[in-house]
Amino acid sequence: EYVLDADSAMLKIHTQVEWHERHVLVKAAFPLNLEADSATYEIPCGAIARTTRPQTPAQKAQWEVPALHWADLSDDTYGVSLLNDCKYGYDCQPGQIRLTLLRGATWPNPEADLGRHTFTYALYAHAGGWQAAQTVRQGYELNLPLQVKMLKTQTSPAIISTQPTIRQFFNIVANNLIVMAFKQAENAQDEWLLRVYECHGKIAQIHYENDLNLSVVGATDLLEQSILPKTDQGGTITVQPWQILSLRVRSLSAT
């Protein structure tokens, strides 16, 4: 099923397959009206550029490379990202991008991948490069679509009518920061850990906003050991390019 939503630059391809082939490899190939000397692939907490014109034996050996949510081909003015929700093998030429969809391998498991498969991949055309097009965000939204939940409440309609129509849990504002986790701290019952990473290779500033009276009170390493003194209340925090940053968060009402 090809799905093109109104006012959307993304063509989604929903696929269902009953797969029983052996020794067959299926790829989706997209020839594009652009030429790029390199392609960019998402990797954990970052992105890597690889040449589309391999010269060395090592480059030629990378006939297929892994990526997480997306790969992108862009020239100086225009680009196309190929997103996926569970398929991670890509190969790119200067004017073509391909995604491996299904394999028919028989070793070490002779029944590998047999049966029914459901997956989605998507073409996202954009102006400029993948950073300006927010390809990272588009990849996350394809994999983690917004879920709406209706909750029952005993609150009277009169009280509900006085509440704001828009509220935010914890907004870090910057477009090049991705929230990886928000969890209770291991060593403090009244604190939470907010972990983010910078995804565009550029310096980011955290200007956090929220309606829960939460404030950043420090930073930790990945073992949740404090590495910085207490930060300024409600202030600005600088995140370096590609940096993973863990922040201690506490409710001001609890202090």
Side-chain angles (χ1 to χ4, degrees), residues 36-255:
D37 292 331
S38 65
T40 306
Y41 305 86
E42 186 182 42
I43 60 176
C45 302
I48 186 171
R50 303 181 187 274
T51 181
T52 59
R53 306 181 192 273
Q55 301 295 323
T56 68
Q59 292 172 342
K60 293 179 180 179
Q62 295 176 344
W63 56 270
E64 181 177 270
V65 296
L68 293 181
H69 297 152
W70 56 270
D72 180 86
L73 277 178
S74 297
D75 58 21
D76 294 334
T77 60
Y78 169 76
V80 176
S81 301
L82 179 56
L83 291 70
N84 80 89
D85 71 348
C86 63
K87 305 295 180 180
Y88 309 116
Y90 286 86
D91 66 271
C92 293
Q93 299 176 13
Q96 177 178 270
I97 185 169
R98 299 197 303 179
L99 175 66
T100 297
L101 303 181
L102 293 164
R103 305 173 190 268
T106 57
W107 187 89
N109 179 7
E111 297 184 357
D113 295 336
L114 292 176
R116 190 169 185 82
H117 296 256
T118 301
F119 52 87
T120 297
Y121 53 102
L123 278 177
Y124 173 48
H126 57 79
W130 59 269
Q131 297 98 327
Q134 293 292 309
T135 290
V136 178
R137 175 174 177 172
Q138 297 290 343
Y140 273 97
E141 290 183 351
L142 180 68
N143 281 262
L144 301 169
L146 181 66
Q147 298 184 25
V148 178
K149 293 187 177 182
M150 301 297 293
L151 302 177
K152 294 182 179 180
T153 178
Q154 303 298 323
T155 306
S156 67
I159 295 178
I160 293 177
S161 64
T162 63
Q163 299 299 310
T165 57
I166 298 177
R167 307 192 74 174
Q168 55 189 348
F169 173 62
F170 199 96
N171 182 10
I172 56 176
V173 182
N175 289 328
N176 57 330
L177 290 176
I178 300 297
V179 175
M180 301 174 64
F182 189 88
K183 59 179 285 292
Q184 187 170 17
E186 296 293 328
N187 301 317
Q189 293 296 318
D190 61 341
E191 291 185 358
W192 292 264
L193 258 291
L194 173 69
R195 183 166 295 129
V196 302
Y197 76 91
E198 196 288 315
C199 65
H200 288 170
K202 302 177 181 179
I203 290 178
Q205 302 289 340
I206 296 181
H207 303 279
Y208 57 90
E209 303 170 351
N210 69 93
D211 293 328
L212 299 178
N213 205 26
L214 297 175
S215 180
V216 173
V217 295
T220 75
D221 59 18
L222 294 179
L223 297 178
E224 299 189 19
Q225 298 173 344
S226 295
I227 58 175
L228 290 176
K230 187 175 181 180
T231 60
D232 55 301
Q233 298 292 331
T236 299
I237 300 170
T238 299
V239 185
Q240 298 300 318
W242 310 120
Q243 182 183 2
I244 301 172
L245 180 64
S246 299
L247 301 172
R248 295 166 46 224
V249 178
R250 182 186 302 153
S251 172
L252 294 181
S253 60
T255 60

Side-chain angles (χ1 to χ4, degrees), residues 1-4 11-14 121:
E1 297 179 349
Y2 291 82
V3 180
L4 182 61
L11 174 65
K12 296 179 182 179
I13 305 171
H14 299 317
Y121 53 102

